[in-house]
Structure formats: structure tokens, C-alpha cells
Amino acid sequence: MEKLVIEGGRPLNGKIRVSGAKNACLPILAASILAEGKYTISNIPSLVDIRTMLSLLGEVGVETDRDGEVVQLNTVADNDAFTAPYELVKTMRASVLTLGPLLAKKGRAKVSLPGGCAIGERPVDQHLKALRLMGADIEVEHGYIDASCSRLKGAEITFDMVTVTGTENIMMAAALAEGKTVLYNAAQEPEVVDLAKFLKKMGAVISGEGSRTIVIEGVDRLESADYNVMADRIEAGTYLCAAAGAGGHLILENAPVYAMKAILDKLGETGLELKILDDSTIDIRSEKRLLGIDATTHPYPGFPTDMQAQFMAVMVKSRGISVITETIFENRFMHVSELKRMGADIRLMDKSAVIKGVKKLSAAPVMASDLRASASLVIAGLMAEGTTEVHRVYHLDRGYEKFDIKLAAAGAKIERVKE
Ligand code: EPZ
């Protein structure tokens, strides 16, 4: 195992380039199951979760090859493998994104039931409800989802809550179904829109993506296609928080500004100096103590749950009180106890964390628990006096490409060492 050792109290100064969006790459890679042939997908970050998805595709007849940020896929014809095994699914819940494509293309899918994770139980009942409405026979036994259907039929589906991968799974399944599917209460995340754009390049007939109602007209077959994946708005927001917390002057390049309005507005409320130089470049100056402000997470276009932990780290040293409310996941405050060990003044009250800004944080050894909590602890390490050690850094490597290297290149004193 590895840990990050961070010498805090140094401002960031320099440039950071944002990588491709993990949460757009994963469904887009899974969509290659839907059509035989060759694909060139670019702007793919080098992440553990991407490697897991590529291994999963290899199990179901998609040959993969990677060269830097470009992945070549070749979906072989007449491959009848349809199982996403426990060994892979247990390491990444997003493996459930193979369920819709496998069922739609092969009429069978056997996908290990994704377990919960640190932030919550994370059931997939909405995915199964929708597929059953489309005519699938689904058994859940021995820890596997076992689904079959000769050909899915279009249906009108209302999700009980906004679900990102639920919307993506059913959009992919509906692309090859017979007839029209309408998704109500659909997710509007930019990553859902990026997937829809890719599916349309493959020949899918989709409208309404980016709104709460998506209409998919099923077609008999799709074609392989090439695609350049959108940049990662959460990675970009994470670096904005790092600069806000550590201070200094950062230029963020290749950022998807169009998809970051809630993040930019929220950080702007704190008094952070933000200048949008063009549609992918953000200039951040953080020279004064920021104002404590409230934040509540919501589905897009609201303030993202994936930014909650990172934003909390910034608020820990702000002026005044900040109330951060998490409405999406039931257990996404794992970073709070670790931040308190560094001197943060935080009280949990039901779904909210009440943060009273302190003047200084003191470095401490802390433990990462999930992807975004790890990023939050790194940001706190940049803000603290002394040397912070963040343990179990593998959580970070699932979703951030070269996190320590990018921060070091912008002036942070941070290194990765073996535990
Ligand atoms: C996606 O997860 C993201 N992952 C998550 O990012 C992100 O936090 C989440 O959306 C919310 O924005 C990927 O896109 C790969 P949901 P997903 O289904 O789709 C409940 C990260 O850090 N729900 O939108 O799994 C669920 O429990 C990760 O990159 C059901 O009850 O999340 C949660 O409370 C973490 N039944 C809420 O809905 C279902 O069938 C939203 O979950 C589905 C979801």
C-alpha cells in the first residue's frame, strides 16, 4: 500500500491540465458491447476504474488496447459471453453498466450484484425495475443479477429518484429495444449527455438528453464509432478547491467550464477570485481568508455530491459558519472525523455538517475511506501546518489521474511513498 506525504502551508502556483471524465468514460466504454467493430475512444484517463472496465469488456468479447489517452476497442462478432464476474464487479460498482448493453445485445446478462461501498448501500433496484418493465426476466440469486430477454421492448419508465448510472444503463438498453422508451425523472448529468452523444454517433435515436425526460427510439442495430470523451468536471472542481484552500494562483486548463456552473458559483460565493479565460481555462487566485457559506448537494444542475467532501475541506479554515448538507448518499461524511483530527471544528446533525471556521489546521496521519474523501484529506494536508500523511491512497487512484504529480507540478510539496 502507499501513502501521500504532504508538507502543508505552501500556496499553489502554476498550471494543471484536467483529464478525461471517469464517469463519462465508464458508460461510454460499456456501450461498445452494443455493436461489433472497431472503436477509437480518446481522452481516457489512466485510472484503476478504467482498467477494471477494460478487463470487464475483455470478459465479454471486446478486445481492448490502450496507447496513452487513447483506447482502441474491437467488439468481436458472435461472442456469446455475458457474465461480469464477482472478482471484477466487487472492485467497481460501475460494472453494473454492462448489464443493459449485454441484455440488449445478447439477450442474456449475468452481472455480480454490486455491493455497497463506504458512502452508502447504493442499491440498483431502479435499474432492475426498468429492465423488467422492458420485458426482461430477472432473478437475483447467489449474489448475481441473472437477466434474460429475447428482445427488450420500449416502455415508459419513471425513476423513483434521479439515478445517474440507472439512466445510463436503461438508455443503452433502450437503444436496441423494439419501439420507443421514455425515461421520466432522468438524470441530467453532463456525463449522461456525453454518453447520449456517443450512442447517437453509433446510430441510436435519442432526444431530451440533459433534461429530466429522455426519449429513445429503439433501432435494430448500431455501428461502432469513434469518440473524444468530455473533461472531468469533478477533477477540475477538486483542483479549484485545492487552490482555494492552499492559496496562490492556479491556471486550470482543459476544464469543462460549461458543466461547472454550480461548482463555480458556489466557490465564487466564498470570495475566491475566479476568472473564466475561455471555455476550458479558469484562472484562480486565492489570497485572502474565504467566507464560510452553506452548500447542499443535489442532482445536476445542482451542487454535486462528488464535490461535497472537497468543498468541506475548504470551509474548514473559512471565516464564520458553513452548513453542508448531503442529500444524495446516506453516509458520505467519512472525511469529517479525519478532518477533525486535524483540528477542524465540525458537528454532524442528521444530513448536515456544521463547520465553524478555524484559523489553522495541524498536520496529522489520516486515513482515506472513499474516492472524494481522500481528495478532501489531501486538500486539508495542503492547508495544514506540518506534515500530513494520507494512508490508503488506492482510493484516490481509482478516480484521479496523477493527483500527487499534478499538485507537485503546481508547487505543492507532496510525495507518494510505500507504507
Ligand atoms: C454515479 O453513481 C457516480 N458514479 C457517482 O460518482 C456519483 O456520486 C453519483 O452518480 C451521484 O451523482 C458513476 O457515474 C460511475 P446514483 P450512481 O444511482 O449512478 C440511490 C464518484 O465519486 N439509488 O445517481 O451509482 C442511491 O443509493 C462516484 O465518482 C437507489 O436507491 O449513483 C443514491 O442514494 C461516487 N436505487 C441515489 O439514488 C438505484 O437503483 C443516487 O445514486 C439507484 C440509485
Side-chain angles (χ1 to χ4, degrees):
M1 289 226 257
E2 295 176 311
K3 63 186 175 185
L4 291 183
V5 179
I6 304 157
E7 190 62 49
R10 301 159 62 102
L12 293 182
N13 277 292
K15 291 183 179 176
I16 287 182
R17 186 181 181 282
V18 178
S19 301
K22 166 178 84 83
N23 291 350
C25 291
L26 293 172
I28 286 168
L29 290 171
S32 65
I33 294 169
L34 292 167
E36 285 92 7
K38 294 187 185 313
Y39 302 73
T40 299
I41 313 290
S42 46
N43 201 27
I44 302 258
S46 172
L47 300 173
V48 171
D49 276 7
I50 299 293
R51 286 194 283 281
T52 303
M53 180 56 84
L54 293 176
S55 303
L56 208 41
L57 293 177
E59 297 280 326
V60 293
V62 181
E63 294 162 357
T64 67
D65 188 24
R66 161 163 224 152
D67 175 15
E69 294 181 343
V70 177
V71 166
Q72 306 287 349
L73 302 171
N74 177 30
T75 303
V76 300
D78 307 328
N79 176 291
D80 56 8
F82 55 79
T83 301
Y86 169 71
E87 296 67 38
L88 286 171
V89 176
K90 72 176 184 216
T91 64
M92 183 184 69
R93 302 187 65 270
S95 308
V96 73
L97 286 165
T98 57
L99 175 63
L102 282 171
L103 189 53
K105 185 69 175 67
K106 304 190 179 187
R108 265 314 291 276
K110 201 164 177 235
V111 177
S112 173
L113 202 56
C117 70
I119 63 178
E121 187 216 338
R122 303 184 70 184
V124 291
D125 57 293
Q126 299 296 305
H127 303 235
L128 304 187
K129 172 184 101 168
L131 291 172
R132 286 187 171 116
L133 284 171
M134 298 173 77
D137 289 322
I138 298 181
E139 299 291 324
V140 178
E141 51 187 11
H142 310 305
Y144 273 82
I145 301 164
D146 198 339
S148 59
C149 183
S150 51
R151 186 175 187 189
L152 293 167
K153 288 197 179 22
E156 298 222 341
I157 296 154
T158 301
F159 289 112
D160 296 349
M161 80 293 292
V162 173
T163 160
V164 174
T165 51
T167 302
E168 292 165 344
N169 228 341
I170 305 309
M171 197 160 67
M172 290 189 279
L176 283 178
E178 185 182 346
K180 177 164 84 169
T181 297
V182 184
L183 302 183
Y184 296 103
N185 203 22
Q188 295 176 245
E189 269 66 11
E191 295 77 20
V192 175
V193 175
D194 221 35
L195 171 64
K197 281 187 199 161
F198 176 57
L199 289 170
K200 288 158 90 165
K201 280 197 76 178
M202 292 175 69
V205 180
I206 300 172
S207 59
E209 66 274 15
S211 80
R212 281 275 179 264
T213 303
I214 301 176
V215 181
I216 305 105
E217 296 286 353
V219 296
D220 292 340
R221 57 176 285 118
L222 295 168
E223 303 290 331
S224 60
D226 298 342
Y227 199 68
N228 185 56
V229 179
M230 71 176 283
D232 195 320
R233 62 191 169 101
I234 304 300
E235 185 198 12
T238 302
Y239 288 120
L240 289 181
C241 287
H249 179 204
L250 185 70
I251 304 281
L252 208 47
E253 299 177 323
N254 192 43
V257 171
Y258 76 94
M260 297 176 65
K261 185 165 178 5
I263 299 170
L264 293 166
D265 289 355
K266 190 50 68 182
L267 282 166
E269 286 174 49
T270 68
L272 183 68
E273 280 180 61
L274 286 164
K275 263 193 280 171
I276 310 299
L277 303 183
D278 59 38
D279 63 4
S280 64
T281 312
I282 305 170
D283 180 307
I284 308 110
R285 281 180 195 280
S286 175
E287 267 113 28
K288 59 185 189 305
R289 196 173 178 202
L290 300 173
L291 189 59
I293 51 151
D294 297 347
T296 300
T297 65
H298 289 291
Y300 194 88
F303 185 74
T305 173
D306 288 351
M307 281 300 304
Q308 181 257 105
Q310 301 92 302
F311 184 70
M312 188 183 293
V314 178
M315 288 295 97
V316 160
K317 276 182 74 177
S318 63
R319 269 185 295 112
I321 303 278
S322 160
V323 179
I324 296 181
T325 304
E326 171 59 56
T327 70
I328 308 291
F329 290 108
E330 65 269 28
N331 187 36
R332 203 169 198 175
F333 282 142
M334 307 281 280
H335 42 289
V336 169
S337 51
E338 295 303 284
L339 291 171
K340 288 172 76 168
R341 295 183 58 247
M342 297 175 75
D345 180 345
I346 308 174
R347 274 178 303 122
L348 289 181
M349 298 165 75
D350 191 21
K351 288 177 178 283
S352 295
V354 181
I355 298 116
K356 192 159 168 287
V358 294
K359 281 207 170 41
K360 76 181 192 61
L361 282 180
S362 58
V366 289
M367 187 80 76
S369 56
D370 68 271
L371 172 54
R372 307 303 174 182
S374 320
S376 167
L377 298 177
V378 172
I379 292 168
L382 297 174
M383 299 163 65
E385 290 179 2
T387 304
T388 295
E389 295 191 347
V390 180
H391 296 266
R392 295 191 182 173
V393 160
Y394 61 84
H395 288 291
L396 205 68
D397 296 335
R398 292 192 48 188
Y400 288 97
E401 183 179 47
K402 303 189 186 100
F403 196 65
D404 43 324
I405 294 167
K406 290 187 180 183
L407 284 172
K413 194 152 174 28
I414 179 171
E415 58 174 336
R416 180 184 291 257
V417 299
K418 286 256 179 287
E419 297 238 43

